[in-house]
């Protein structure tokens, strides 16, 4: 368990102060496992729909543009889900969007396997992406709010590893169905790809807790302290004081922050103007380049590998795809180490 038990001075003691004192340990790792199921399911879903596009095109005799839409519409749904996730996360809490996303992904993926027309599949894939979009931003916020500042990069590294595990799960399903990827039973594969979402729907509903920072912002100090108490017990930090002291002048138990709409507007204005504006623009551009290259590759490789790389890896394109996914994990570990041990700017 990593952390510090030093009591901070000053006239108030916030959730963030208590989290720093509790440190990083089993509590945060458990939350990581529960919410990173969305990235594991994402890796399985994206890889699977990309790998089965040829089989779908063969069965329905649709054009390449139509097949491209089936994969692209997922990201359109993710975009919309991202926009809504912030509103839901600030209004309802971080837990609810995460818990909601898994059954949406699972049910819409299974429904996709039953689609009889192109437009049915298109709408259902949009809803799958919407599920990812709703859950992942709130998952990131929840992980940040229960983790000490030093260890937040660790959370993102574990999320990327979960994504790679999802890819490997997909590769296993493809291998069991058809190692050559030439005669895939795409309907059966989509049902199997929904497995992780179903598993994490049950686990998150049963074991995922709310963010203590969100409870604090809503004025529920008793609820926030209860969550913090469970965190310290899980981490073995029984000596840490989890009591929250309101700033002077606020002893009513009223919400300690502005309404979600007001607070969100002020935060958006802050990061998009002044000295932070260029930093925000730079980070957005980095994310754009990353997603363009990485997700472009994820969509292209399952279709290209059977045609271009069959002689490699003993003639099995699935083995070639699995090798690439497996190699992501040590690279993620290197990035994880760098994010924890080096300055953020240096790593970027």
């Amino acid at each position: 368990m990593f952390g510090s038990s030093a009591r901070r001075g000053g006239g108030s003691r916030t959730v963030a102060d208590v989290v720093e004192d509790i440190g990083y340990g089993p509590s945060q790792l458990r939350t990581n496992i529960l919410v990173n199921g969305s990235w594991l399911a994402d890796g399985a879903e994206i890889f699977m729909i990309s790998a089965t596009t040829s089989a779908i095109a063969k069965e329905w005799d649709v054009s390449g543009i139509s097949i491209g839409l089936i994969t692209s519409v997922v990201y359109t749904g993710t975009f919309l889900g991202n926009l809504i996730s912030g509103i839901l996360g600030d209004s309802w809490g971080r837990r609810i969007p995460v818990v909601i996303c898994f059954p949406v992904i699972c049910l819409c993926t299974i429904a996709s396997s039953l689609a009889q027309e192109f437009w049915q599949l298109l709408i259902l894939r949009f809803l799958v992406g919407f599920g990812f979009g709703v859950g992942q931003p709130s998952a990131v916020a929840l992980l940040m709010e229960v983790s000490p500042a030093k260890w937040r990069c660790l959370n993102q590294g574990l999320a990327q590893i979960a994504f790679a595990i999802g890819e490997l799960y997909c590769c296993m399903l493809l291998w069991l169905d058809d190692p050559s990827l030439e005669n895939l039973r795409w309907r059966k594969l989509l049902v199997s790809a929904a497995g992780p979402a179903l598993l994490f729907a049950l686990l998150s509903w049963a074991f995922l807790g709310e963010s203590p920072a969100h409870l604090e912002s809503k004025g529920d100090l008793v609820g926030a302290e209860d969550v913090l108490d469970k965190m310290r017990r899980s981490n073995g930090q029984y000596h840490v004081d989890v009591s929250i002291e309101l700033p002077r002048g606020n002893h009513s138990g009223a919400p300690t922050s502005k309404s979600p709409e007001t607070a969100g507007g002020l935060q958006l204005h802050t990061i998009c103007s002044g000295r932070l504006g260029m930093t925000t623009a730079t980070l957005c551009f980095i994310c754009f380049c990353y997603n363009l290259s990485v997700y472009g590759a994820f969509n292209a490789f399952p279709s290209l590998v059977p045609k271009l790389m069959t002689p490699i890896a003993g003639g099995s394109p699935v083995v070639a795809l699995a090798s690439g996914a497996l190699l992501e994990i040590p690279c993620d570990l290197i990035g994880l180490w760098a994010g924890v041990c080096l300055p953020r700017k240096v790593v970027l």
Side-chain angles (χ1 to χ4, degrees):
M1 206 291 301
F2 307 96
S4 167
S5 60
R7 174 80 179 250
R8 287 160 178 73
S12 66
R13 178 171 167 81
T14 66
V15 164
D17 295 328
V18 179
V19 168
E20 291 291 334
D21 289 348
I22 292 174
Y24 199 95
S27 175
Q28 288 82 4
L29 291 175
R30 180 173 60 251
T31 303
N32 257 293
I33 292 172
L34 293 173
V35 304
N36 284 342
S38 62
W39 274 272
L40 192 153
D42 193 6
E45 285 282 341
I46 296 299
F47 227 56
M48 183 60 75
I49 196 63
S50 300
T52 55
T53 51
S54 296
I56 295 172
K58 185 185 299 184
E59 179 175 327
W60 287 350
D61 192 26
V62 294
S63 66
I65 294 178
S66 298
I67 290 300
L69 283 174
I70 292 175
T71 54
S72 299
V73 76
V74 176
Y75 302 108
T76 306
T78 302
F79 174 77
L80 181 60
N82 286 162
L83 295 178
I84 295 176
S85 181
I87 299 173
L88 295 180
D90 285 339
S91 301
W92 296 354
R94 320 305 191 210
R95 179 181 183 272
I96 291 179
V98 176
V99 172
I100 287 176
C101 84
F102 290 118
V104 171
I105 295 167
C106 177
L107 293 175
C108 291
T109 299
I110 293 175
S112 297
S113 70
L114 303 174
Q116 299 300 314
E117 297 180 1
F118 169 76
W119 291 107
Q120 293 176 355
L121 183 60
L122 201 66
I123 293 171
L124 290 167
R125 299 315 295 174
F126 172 86
L127 293 175
V128 170
F130 179 80
F132 288 123
V134 167
Q136 290 178 343
S138 292
V140 172
L142 177 56
L143 283 172
M144 289 182 63
E145 290 165 354
V146 300
S147 301
K150 179 181 178 181
W151 299 99
R152 289 172 183 170
C153 277
L154 176 63
N155 296 330
Q156 291 304 301
L158 294 176
Q160 297 305 313
I161 291 174
F163 190 96
I165 293 174
E167 294 177 80
L168 291 172
Y169 171 74
C170 175
C171 289
M172 180 190 72
L173 297 178
L174 294 172
W175 173 267
L176 294 174
D177 192 72
D178 180 15
S180 69
L181 301 183
E182 294 179 357
N183 298 290
L184 295 173
R185 293 171 292 179
W186 65 273
R187 296 181 186 275
K188 176 184 176 182
L189 287 169
L190 286 180
V191 173
S192 300
L198 174 60
L199 173 64
F200 283 99
L202 299 174
L203 291 176
S204 63
W205 179 80
F207 301 110
L208 184 62
E210 183 54 86
S211 162
H214 172 75
L215 295 173
E216 179 190 38
S217 73
K218 293 296 185 181
D220 185 4
L221 302 187
V222 174
E225 290 176 353
D226 181 61
V227 174
L228 292 169
D229 181 61
K230 292 177 181 178
M231 289 174 57
R232 74 169 176 177
R233 290 176 181 276
S234 180
N235 286 6
Q237 298 294 300
Y238 299 100
H239 62 282
V240 173
D241 180 11
V242 299
S243 60
I244 303 170
E245 298 176 8
L246 294 172
R248 291 180 180 178
N250 185 356
H251 298 283
S252 63
T256 58
S257 67
K258 299 179 184 296
S259 68
E261 295 79 8
T262 304
L266 290 174
Q267 292 168 1
L268 185 63
H269 179 268
T270 300
I271 66 175
C272 292
S273 61
R275 297 178 60 185
L276 286 178
M278 183 56 68
T279 300
T280 300
T282 302
L283 291 174
C284 288
F285 182 69
I286 291 172
C287 289
F288 171 81
C289 294
Y290 169 83
N291 287 317
L292 180 66
S293 58
V294 171
Y295 283 94
F298 286 148
N299 281 292
F301 285 164
S303 298
L304 294 176
V305 166
K307 302 173 183 177
L308 303 179
M309 299 180 64
T310 301
I312 302 177
S316 172
V318 175
V319 174
L321 292 171
S323 299
L326 190 62
L327 285 173
E328 289 177 36
I329 295 178
C331 295
D332 289 334
L333 291 173
I334 294 172
L336 187 155
W337 170 84
V340 171
C341 299
L342 300 177
R344 308 285 198 259
K345 184 175 179 179
V346 173
V347 177
L348 288 174

